[in-house]
Amino acid sequence: RKIYQNILKSISAKERLLAVLIDPEKFYVENAVRFFKKVNRSSATHIFVGGSTVEDKATEILVSEIKKNTGLPVVLFPGDVTQITNKADALLFLSLISGRNPEYLIGKHVASISKIKNSNLEILSTGYILIESGKQTAVERVTQTQPMDRNNIQNIVDTAKAGELLGMKLIYLEAGSGALNPVSAETITKIKQDIKIPLIVGGGIKNKQQLEKAYQSGADLVVIGTAFEEDESFFNDLLK
Ligand code: 1GP
């Protein structure tokens, strides 16, 4: 379907993809017009929406507002089933394959079916891999899973490969929102050599140099949330 096909097309055209992550808990809907003026002038290609703890309905209200302010595809990146809304275009159907908590490997997915089976959301099966980054992150706390050891790169590579062989359409390497250290260049490079499906990288990327490094290492799509929340002028460094 459309969003996944476009990601594949962009990758073969060597285009760099950038998602702006918006956490409904932290975003003021009143600021949407101003914020999206900046987004629309930047090289951002996708809007991701999600958070670890979000009130019911907040996601739906936010997605409706986003849709009024940008033509970029809106992809749900949900921390929980309650964040699924058919106002968005697509859903990262995340399985936390770095962890061993059955709820986040398959349980939440089963619980979400009644919400998604009659929706028009494009469902993107995603192997989600949390990598240790120097401090405990919200993903770790909420999912009660251990992040992967950042120094055991082979284990991370094997996890990504297993996800691909299970039929997942995307791999997402996550250092956690606000991570002290983004996923290392070496980890990205090694995984990219081993898998054919698109590679998403996020967590702790705060400036243009780190963004550049992630792309050069092999990230196909980079996700940035905190850096835009903290300083909207960062968009000016990333003009189209
Ligand atoms: C978090 O990967 C995303 O899930 C983005 O992280 O907020 O650190 O940019 P940041």
Side-chain angles (χ1 to χ4, degrees), residues 132-147:
E132 162 240 327
S133 70
K135 69 167 188 191
Q136 203 202 39
T137 59
V139 186
E140 190 181 336
R141 180 170 41 78
V142 171
T143 64
Q144 300 191 338
T145 63
Q146 290 295 317

Side-chain angles (χ1 to χ4, degrees), residues 21 77 172 174 176-178 202-204 223-226:
L21 173 63
F77 172 50
Y172 189 144
E174 172 71 277
S177 189
V223 185
I224 299 181
T226 308

Side-chain angles (χ1 to χ4, degrees), residues 19 21 26 48 50 52 77 128 139 172-179 200-206 222-229:
L21 173 63
K26 297 185 190 153
F48 281 10
S52 297
F77 172 50
Y128 190 45
V139 186
Y172 189 144
L173 299 180
E174 172 71 277
S177 189
I200 304 176
V201 176
I205 295 173
K206 297 184 254 332
V222 174
V223 185
I224 299 181
T226 308
F228 293 134
E229 276 163 22

Side-chain angles (χ1 to χ4, degrees), residues 27-35 62 65:
F27 190 82
Y28 293 98
V29 174
E30 307 82 77
N31 293 340
V33 173
R34 194 196 69 227
F35 187 84
L62 174 61
E65 199 56 36

Side-chain angles (χ1 to χ4, degrees), residues 12-216:
S12 39
K14 306 236 180 301
E15 284 162 18
R16 293 167 161 192
L17 301 171
L18 174 65
V20 178
L21 173 63
I22 300 179
D23 183 340
E25 255 217 323
K26 297 185 190 153
F27 190 82
Y28 293 98
V29 174
E30 307 82 77
N31 293 340
V33 173
R34 194 196 69 227
F35 187 84
F36 279 96
K37 259 188 198 151
K38 294 180 183 160
V39 172
N40 292 334
R41 278 199 303 255
S42 78
S43 55
T45 56
H46 294 77
I47 306 297
F48 281 10
V49 177
S52 297
T53 47
V54 177
E55 265 179 56
D56 273 19
K57 289 277 167 205
T59 308
E60 186 158 311
I61 295 167
L62 174 61
V63 172
S64 306
E65 199 56 36
I66 293 172
K67 282 282 176 194
K68 285 185 218 157
N69 287 290
T70 183
L72 295 176
V74 179
V75 180
L76 298 174
F77 172 50
D80 197 56
V81 181
T82 54
Q83 293 174 37
I84 298 175
T85 162
N86 56 20
K87 299 256 188 302
D89 301 299
L91 165 70
L92 294 185
F93 205 47
L94 304 161
S95 186
L96 184 61
I97 58 177
S98 53
R100 297 296 178 266
N101 182 348
E103 271 307 295
Y104 290 90
L105 284 162
I106 182 65
K108 301 276 184 191
H109 313 71
V110 176
S112 71
I113 293 303
S114 63
K115 278 193 126 177
I116 62 178
K117 71 179 174 200
N118 295 319
S119 79
N120 290 320
L121 290 166
E122 181 175 340
I123 309 298
L124 303 168
S125 168
T126 303
Y128 190 45
I129 300 177
L130 179 64
I131 300 170
E132 162 240 327
S133 70
K135 69 167 188 191
Q136 203 202 39
T137 59
V139 186
E140 190 181 336
R141 180 170 41 78
V142 171
T143 64
Q144 300 191 338
T145 63
Q146 290 295 317
M148 300 194 77
D149 177 354
R150 60 187 282 114
N151 299 311
N152 191 346
I153 295 178
Q154 192 56 50
N155 200 24
I156 304 173
V157 174
D158 290 352
T159 301
K161 189 69 193 171
E164 179 179 53
L165 293 176
L166 276 167
M168 288 163 178
K169 294 284 188 285
L170 299 161
I171 294 293
Y172 189 144
L173 299 180
E174 172 71 277
S177 189
L180 295 178
N181 306 298
V183 177
S184 76
E186 191 186 352
T187 306
I188 299 172
T189 307
K190 293 231 165 99
I191 289 178
K192 192 62 195 170
Q193 286 165 359
D194 247 51
I195 64 169
K196 291 186 196 72
I197 53 176
L199 183 59
I200 304 176
V201 176
I205 295 173
K206 297 184 254 332
N207 55 50
K208 213 176 166 179
Q209 289 72 23
Q210 289 173 323
L211 176 63
E212 201 56 38
K213 197 168 170 193
Y215 287 130
Q216 278 167 8

